[in-house]
Amino acid sequence: MSDDELPALLGGRPVNPAGPPGWPLPDSGVLAALQAAYASGNWGAYHGENLPLLEEALRTTFQMPHVLTTASGTLAVEVALRAVGVSSGDEVIMGAYDYEPNFLTILAIGAKPVLVDCLPDSPVLNVDLITSAITSKTKAILASHLHGGLISMTALREAVNAKNIPIVEDAAQAAGAIIDGRPAGAWGDVGVISFGGSKLLSAGRGGAVFFKNDGHAQRAKVILSRGVQQWGILSELQAAVLIPQLMKLAECTARQHRNSALLFSLIADLPGLRPIGNFSAAISPGYYKLGFYLDEAAFGLSRDRFVAALRAEGMAFDIGFRPVHWGRSPSRYLKAGDLANADLAGRRVVMLHHPVLSGDEGGIRLVAEAIGKTHRFADRLA
Ligand SMILES: *Cc1c(COP(=O)(O)O)cnc(C)c1O
């Protein structure tokens, strides 16, 4: 065997010497929008045509009657929680495996996160556990779609409808996903997406928050206003670059689906690596990170070595989130039952960054080749 065939971590040639694709990808629509914003002077204006156009396009795409843009997805989550009435002393139910800032946002409001376990095969909150987590102090449920795993929103709605508890749906990792015929982000009373620099729809920073109900939208508008001045909303320039991206969201999502299906089929025979996601005709994920559960014993390699080996091959793999209760004082949260599945996700989840899913089939075949090579040499990499 020549050295070239060895894993890059052992001195062989990387499968993808150029490294993973950067983000954002080149986009002629974005370039044209930047040029137009310069020519019109909108790039430097408080008010222009782009923000109203973006808001209109967001309402249409996400099928929600009200939208506000925000300076970040994290601010969007905070505005969403405050708009549905969460304040000091209240409880907010969330999954124990979630984006850490969501947990910290609840604390920042002075409220208490109530953690529920996630599903055994997907890191999203287990809807069956919601009823047992509800108390007289519950003011909202924060439901995040993560790593291609989508929450069953019909079941969640059924679980809470009678109790009249608002759902804040965090679709920051799922822009473009469709759940039972509706976009992810349109199932909650309030929905949130992010335009952060690594997200599929990107303006470097930014977010949006959607509302079903006039009262919530009105309250959010007040939160984001100081008299005549609106603070914490998107700039004209950010809005300008997002419009062409939003127009292509469905096309991008379709390409992500083709590419992720190809990747799953190419690695289907490998032991110990299982993609996250509820794949059915009714549910089509949108990807920010494409998540997998790695069973170290079955694959024959520790998660850290797996990620290191794939990064050396030029693939943008990473370990998943730390469950929000790890390393944190139990005085900061309550938990409804044990969190064994969240702990498992915290140990097992690996994720592939999404840009490669927007490229061609060749890039996907390289990812599969790198994973296959890592598995073949697991003994020596361990
Ligand atoms: C990215 C992200 C957000 C928002 O992040 P910002 O960087 O503040 O826009 C919120 N929730 C989840 C699950 C995310 O992945």
Side-chain angles (χ1 to χ4, degrees):
M1 181 193 320
S2 82
D3 275 2
D4 267 8
E5 291 166 68
L6 284 172
L9 210 52
L10 301 178
R13 205 181 102 85
V15 168
N16 181 22
W23 192 259
L25 299 174
D27 185 325
S28 57
V30 169
L31 178 61
L34 286 166
Q35 285 169 332
Y38 183 81
S40 67
N42 274 339
W43 66 272
Y46 269 121
H47 300 287
E49 68 206 4
N50 291 307
L51 196 52
L53 281 173
L54 175 68
E55 288 168 346
E56 181 60 35
L58 285 168
R59 281 191 294 267
T60 306
T61 304
F62 287 87
Q63 300 172 21
M64 288 286 264
H66 306 280
V67 65
L68 276 174
T69 63
T70 55
S72 71
T74 301
L75 177 58
V77 171
E78 178 164 342
V79 168
L81 291 170
R82 289 187 189 279
V84 300
V86 176
S87 66
S88 184
D90 294 334
E91 292 175 2
V92 177
I93 297 172
M94 68 180 293
Y97 183 101
D98 198 350
Y99 184 59
E100 185 189 29
N102 283 352
F103 178 87
L104 296 173
T105 297
I106 295 169
L107 292 185
I109 297 174
K112 191 138 233 180
V114 177
L115 307 183
V116 298
D117 205 6
C118 56
L119 293 167
D121 56 357
S122 180
V124 299
L125 63 80
N126 181 349
V127 171
D128 292 342
L129 302 174
I130 293 295
T131 320
S132 67
I134 293 174
T135 74
S136 58
K137 292 184 178 170
T138 309
K139 267 291 169 58
I141 293 161
L142 179 53
S144 304
H145 307 295
L146 297 166
H147 314 339
L150 299 177
I151 296 170
S152 166
M153 295 305 288
T154 345
L156 181 57
R157 278 247 149 261
E158 273 165 22
V160 303
N161 264 358
K163 319 232 177 208
N164 215 8
I165 297 169
I167 298 169
V168 172
E169 183 187 8
D170 180 347
Q173 296 204 356
I178 303 288
I179 306 171
D180 296 332
R182 283 182 74 77
W187 279 94
D189 298 270
V190 184
V192 167
I193 58 171
S194 164
F195 304 131
S198 54
K199 298 279 150 85
L200 184 63
L201 298 170
S202 180
R205 297 198 179 258
V209 53
F210 301 100
F211 305 91
K212 271 211 171 95
N213 137 342
D214 301 353
H216 293 156
Q218 192 50 40
R219 190 153 357 167
K221 224 172 261 169
V222 171
I223 292 167
L224 287 173
S225 308
R226 295 280 189 276
V228 294
Q229 186 58 282
Q230 277 189 292
W231 65 276
I233 65 169
L234 281 187
S235 71
E236 266 297 302
L237 192 54
Q238 288 172 302
V241 298
L242 283 165
I243 292 166
Q245 296 176 64
L246 195 57
M247 296 301 124
K248 282 191 303 208
L249 179 60
E251 183 190 322
C252 286
T253 305
R255 186 177 314 117
Q256 286 194 326
H257 286 171
R258 283 197 302 278
N259 279 334
S260 49
L262 173 63
L263 179 58
F264 298 158
S265 73
L266 291 171
I267 63 167
D269 292 337
L270 288 184
L273 189 65
R274 194 173 43 71
I276 288 168
N278 17 18
F279 309 103
S280 73
I283 293 189
S284 66
Y287 292 111
Y288 165 59
K289 305 276 184 183
L290 182 58
F292 302 84
Y293 280 82
L294 179 72
D295 178 335
E296 298 183 331
F299 194 87
L301 200 58
S302 76
R303 184 173 64 158
D304 285 346
R305 280 304 266 180
F306 174 91
V307 167
L310 280 154
R311 293 177 79 94
E313 300 298 341
M315 303 302 158
F317 271 92
D318 238 317
I319 61 169
F321 293 162
R322 277 166 64 88
V324 296
H325 58 290
W326 282 15
R328 222 175 298 261
S329 160
S331 65
R332 315 300 296 280
Y333 60 86
L334 298 169
K335 51 181 188 164
D338 82 63
L339 305 176
N341 290 330
D343 291 335
L344 186 80
R347 290 192 305 271
R348 290 200 169 174
V349 170
V350 294
M351 45 197 199
L352 173 65
H353 195 22
H354 71 85
V356 70
L357 299 178
S358 291
D360 58 21
E361 197 184 300
I364 298 299
R365 292 190 181 277
L366 292 182
V367 176
E369 186 184 328
I371 297 173
K373 187 178 174 189
T374 301
H375 179 253
R376 269 198 318 282
F377 284 91
D379 279 356
R380 292 175 64 181
L381 284 162

